[in-house]
């Protein structure tokens, strides 16, 4: 490979290796994983227990939270959190919403759908609502963090991160569940909320 080709490759990769686009990748990973938890992963878990997700209408609310997140986006944008607010509006909400997501996923992990299906459905809705709120904060933080000339690259990196987070969390849950049970799989996947929280704190 000639020196000129190598230089062109390095020049092409440079925008993606800057601090802000890499941060957008981390934000995307945390944004994508809750959707996987209430998507194919949840369907697989219920199917293993012989439960049809369609039998419980409440499960659909977990996805609807993403469609209607614009309803509480103004609150997330304008409400200053006590104590955490000292970190700044966006970072404080990143930490708060990320903690909510982790708590909701842990709650889902500790429940048995065969023992109490309705409570399990409520926990799934909580994951959806917390994940949608995390999406709101992550989107706002990413837009403010990126420089105008980085918006295109940053948006692409965020989408890559979303897909990585969604696929990785879903795969990890299934892999661990096959060996150590669903609770362990969900508990490990809760850590996928950390990249966005740590990104906000570090930057």
């Amino acid at each position: 490979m000639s020196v000129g080709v190598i230089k062109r490759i390095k020049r092409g990769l440079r925008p993606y290796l800057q601090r802000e686009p890499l941060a957008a990748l981390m934000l995307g990973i945390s944004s994508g994983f809750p959707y996987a938890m209430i998507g194919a992963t949840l369907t697989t878990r219920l199917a293993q227990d012989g439960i049809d997700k369609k039998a419980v209408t409440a499960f659909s609310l977990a996805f609807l939270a993403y469609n209607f997140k614009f309803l509480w986006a103004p609150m997330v944008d304008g409400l200053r959190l006590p104590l955490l607010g000292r970190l700044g509006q966006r970072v404080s909400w990143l930490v708060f919403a990320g903690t909510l997501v982790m708590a909701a996923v842990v709650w889902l992990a500790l429940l048995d759908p065969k023992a109490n299906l309705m409570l399990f459905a409520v926990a799934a809705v909580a994951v959806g609502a917390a994940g949608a709120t995390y999406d709101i904060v992550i989107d706002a933080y990413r837009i403010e963090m990126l420089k105008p000339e980085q918006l295109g690259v940053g948006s692409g990196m965020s989408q890559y991160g979303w897909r990585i987070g969604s696929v990785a969390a879903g795969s990890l849950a299934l892999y661990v569940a096959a060996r150590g049970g669903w609770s362990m799989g969900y508990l490990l996947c809760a850590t996928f909320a950390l990249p966005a929280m740590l990104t906000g704190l570090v930057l």
Side-chain angles (χ1 to χ4, degrees):
M1 189 178 292
S2 67
V3 175
V5 172
I6 294 175
K7 286 184 178 179
R8 283 197 296 272
I9 292 174
K10 287 183 178 179
R11 204 159 45 239
L13 290 176
R14 192 174 298 128
Y16 295 91
L17 299 178
Q18 294 174 344
R19 185 181 69 165
E20 291 83 0
L22 288 175
L25 179 71
M26 296 296 104
L27 294 172
I29 290 173
S30 291
S31 178
F33 98 91
Y35 201 84
M37 296 293 93
I38 58 174
T41 307
L42 181 63
T43 302
T44 303
R45 181 177 185 182
L46 292 174
Q48 282 192 353
D49 290 333
I51 300 169
D52 184 3
K53 191 169 69 171
K54 295 177 183 177
V56 183
T57 310
F59 281 116
S60 64
L61 296 176
F63 295 101
L64 282 177
Y66 281 86
N67 295 330
F68 292 101
K69 62 184 181 180
F70 66 90
L71 293 175
W72 64 94
M75 180 197 72
V76 174
D77 192 54
L79 180 63
R80 181 177 174 83
L81 296 172
L83 300 179
L84 282 176
R86 285 180 253 176
L87 295 172
Q89 181 69 4
R90 300 302 181 206
V91 176
S92 63
W93 270 97
L94 271 177
V95 173
F96 179 65
T99 303
L100 286 181
V101 170
M102 293 181 74
V105 173
V106 168
W107 184 27
L108 193 65
L110 299 178
L111 294 175
D112 182 358
K114 290 185 290 186
N116 192 332
L117 184 58
M118 283 307 301
L119 186 59
F120 188 79
V122 171
V125 172
V127 174
T133 304
Y134 210 15
D135 253 7
I136 293 169
V137 186
I138 285 172
D139 286 345
Y141 182 71
R142 185 188 70 247
I143 291 171
E144 290 185 359
M145 172 191 67
L146 295 169
K147 300 169 185 174
E149 66 273 14
Q150 295 175 322
L151 287 175
V153 171
S155 179
M157 291 289 274
S158 177
Q159 286 300 312
Y160 288 135
W162 195 97
R163 295 182 185 280
I164 290 170
S166 178
V167 172
S171 302
L172 178 63
L174 295 175
Y175 179 81
V176 175
R179 287 156 178 78
W182 282 107
S183 293
M184 182 61 68
Y186 270 72
L187 288 172
L188 285 176
C189 286
T191 61
F192 278 82
L194 292 175
M197 298 165 70
L198 295 175
T199 295
L201 290 171
V202 169
L203 291 186

